[in-house]
Amino acid sequence: MADEPAPISYEDLAAIEDDFSEIDTEMMRKQYDASTATYARRAEAVTKIENFWSLVLEQAPPEIDQYIHSHDSKLISEHLTGVEVTRFELDEKGPAGDPRSLRIRLEFSPNEVFSDRVLEKTFWYRRASDDWTGLISEPVKIHWKKGKDLSEGLTDGAIALFEARNKGGSMSRKGIPEYYAMEDKVEHWNGANTSFFTWFGFVSGRRYVSAKESETATAAYQQRRVARRRGEKVDVPVYAENQVSDEEAEDDSAVEVHDAGEELAVAFAEDLWPDAIKLFTQAQEMGDMSDPEFEEDDPDDDVDGNDEPVDIRSLVQGTGKGKSRDGNGPPAKRAKR
């Protein structure tokens, strides 16, 4: 009688999954290195194309587009002058850097909304002590001009909370008035009903993970990988409430200003950034199709024009007007193309 094959264990499957993850990461690292020179050529070329990035954002994928409101559209169309996405850890640390960490830089001409010429947000890929992994960030200060805060105070509130926690030496919520003030504000306002720029206040979809915690958790994860390769049984970290610190146990979703902050960052890096020329071309084609000879009157159109989508291309060319913001309560989302 032939010997029966040995059963496949959870450790065997987990080891294979670990290998797939490492392969994906290594491919990302190699692709970044291979494409750096080409991105530099593109950057030089698009500086000669007026309003290039404004038109790219007009054709942004749904993961980004859904968070760009009408008042954002006008600001972006008239004042966005540059976009850059880097996997900065590879630039700074070489092969030791994690290619999943991102830095997204937006450049603007002078405008009436904020005084910043550059808004730059950094996302670190980190591992928590319970093996959660994802992107975390720190809130970015936007210097809003008087009465022009499109985030309804969320970006300033996120910074106040982050600074209060750092001052106290812990990310715990206990005894921090800024936490409860932010919790009340987030009940009514968030990244979905305020502004695209609220995204700059994003910290984490779960909780902040420090570099030290991530380093320790990553070392433990690598030890488990080695053990799995040897066929040893490995327990995934599962901690009881009394085994972790208050900081590690907390979930900050109640004070997170942008629930989709990580997804938005990934969409910039994996969709908008590499496909910028394609999106620009689509915007040009859409503009050609909107010329008078291609247009026909539709008797069913809404005559009051309240739901008319914002045409960024016409704003860029100075031939149209954006929708004004309704000051009574949360702004309506931009009508989809």
Side-chain angles (χ1 to χ4, degrees):
M1 183 176 179
D3 294 336
E4 293 185 2
I8 298 296
S9 67
Y10 167 79
E11 283 69 32
D12 294 328
L13 296 175
I16 294 172
E17 191 64 26
D18 287 342
D19 288 344
F20 274 126
S21 178
E22 289 300 314
I23 290 169
D24 288 342
T25 303
E26 186 60 25
M27 289 176 64
M28 190 181 299
R29 181 179 285 109
K30 290 181 177 180
Q31 183 180 33
Y32 185 75
D33 291 339
S35 61
T36 298
T38 304
Y39 277 121
R41 284 174 52 211
R42 187 185 73 179
E44 182 180 0
V46 303
T47 59
K48 303 170 185 177
I49 303 175
E50 189 176 3
N51 307 315
F52 176 85
W53 287 108
S54 296
L55 289 171
V56 170
L57 263 290
E58 179 187 356
Q59 296 297 317
E63 293 83 0
I64 299 173
D65 181 77
Q66 64 180 313
Y67 295 107
I68 300 178
H69 301 264
S70 58
H71 45 281
D72 301 324
S73 295
K74 189 174 189 301
L75 177 60
I76 289 170
S77 68
E78 295 178 352
H79 299 288
L80 180 67
T81 59
V83 175
E84 182 181 39
V85 178
T86 57
R87 299 188 183 272
F88 68 96
E89 285 198 22
L90 297 182
D91 298 330
E92 297 173 0
K93 301 179 181 180
D98 195 315
R100 290 165 291 194
S101 295
L102 302 168
R103 180 168 290 146
I104 299 171
R105 175 186 174 95
L106 305 183
E107 300 175 2
F108 296 87
S109 61
N111 61 82
E112 63 179 14
V113 180
F114 47 70
S115 59
D116 307 273
R117 298 295 297 274
V118 173
L119 294 177
E120 185 174 87
K121 191 158 180 65
T122 300
F123 298 82
W124 292 270
Y125 183 85
R126 288 183 179 166
R127 183 178 297 272
S129 55
D130 61 359
D131 238 21
W132 173 88
T133 57
L135 295 179
I136 64 95
S137 186
E138 296 180 4
V140 174
K141 175 68 175 177
I142 297 179
H143 297 86
W144 302 105
K145 294 184 178 179
K146 186 175 181 181
K148 299 293 185 177
D149 186 347
L150 302 180
S151 78
E152 299 291 343
L154 289 177
T155 54
D156 286 346
I159 289 174
L161 174 57
F162 196 83
E163 291 178 346
R165 283 174 151 177
N166 281 338
K167 186 177 181 180
S170 169
M171 296 304 288
S172 173
R173 73 188 66 171
K174 292 184 177 179
I176 299 181
E178 289 85 353
Y179 181 95
Y180 302 105
M182 200 63 183
E183 190 174 32
D184 289 341
K185 185 175 287 290
V186 170
E187 283 188 21
H188 307 287
W189 300 100
N190 55 60
N193 67 9
T194 53
S195 167
F196 163 77
F197 295 94
T198 300
W199 176 55
F200 286 90
F202 169 79
V203 174
S204 171
R206 186 168 175 263
R207 66 171 175 83
Y208 185 79
V209 178
S210 69
K212 181 178 180 180
E213 179 185 347
S214 183
E215 182 179 350
T216 301
T218 300
Y221 164 74
Q222 294 297 347
Q223 290 176 356
R224 292 193 299 275
R225 285 197 70 211
V226 172
R228 281 174 175 153
R229 285 179 177 275
R230 293 196 298 256
E232 299 174 9
K233 183 175 181 179
V234 176
D235 293 328
V236 178
V238 178
Y239 300 106
E241 187 174 348
N242 61 357
Q243 292 179 305
V244 298
S245 67
D246 290 340
E247 179 179 331
E248 293 175 334
E250 289 181 355
D251 181 339
D252 280 342
S253 59
V255 292
E256 176 51 58
V257 302
H258 204 302
D259 291 338
E262 178 172 352
E263 291 81 357
L264 198 52
V266 171
F268 258 92
E270 297 185 358
D271 298 322
L272 185 137
W273 177 245
D275 291 341
I277 292 177
K278 182 188 300 182
L279 296 170
F280 172 77
T281 302
Q282 290 175 357
Q284 292 290 330
E285 292 172 351
M286 292 283 288
D288 292 340
M289 292 299 293
S290 66
D291 287 343
E293 59 265 31
F294 291 101
E295 295 179 354
E296 297 181 3
D297 292 334
D298 185 347
D300 295 327
D301 283 347
D302 184 358
V303 295
D304 62 12
N306 289 335
D307 295 323
E308 182 182 356
V310 175
D311 183 353
I312 294 185
R313 192 172 191 274
S314 67
L315 286 168
V316 170
Q317 297 175 337
T319 58
K321 295 182 179 180
K323 291 164 63 179
S324 61
R325 182 179 185 183
D326 181 1
N328 299 321
K333 295 195 66 177
R334 182 178 58 162
K336 308 303 286 181
R337 289 180 293 275

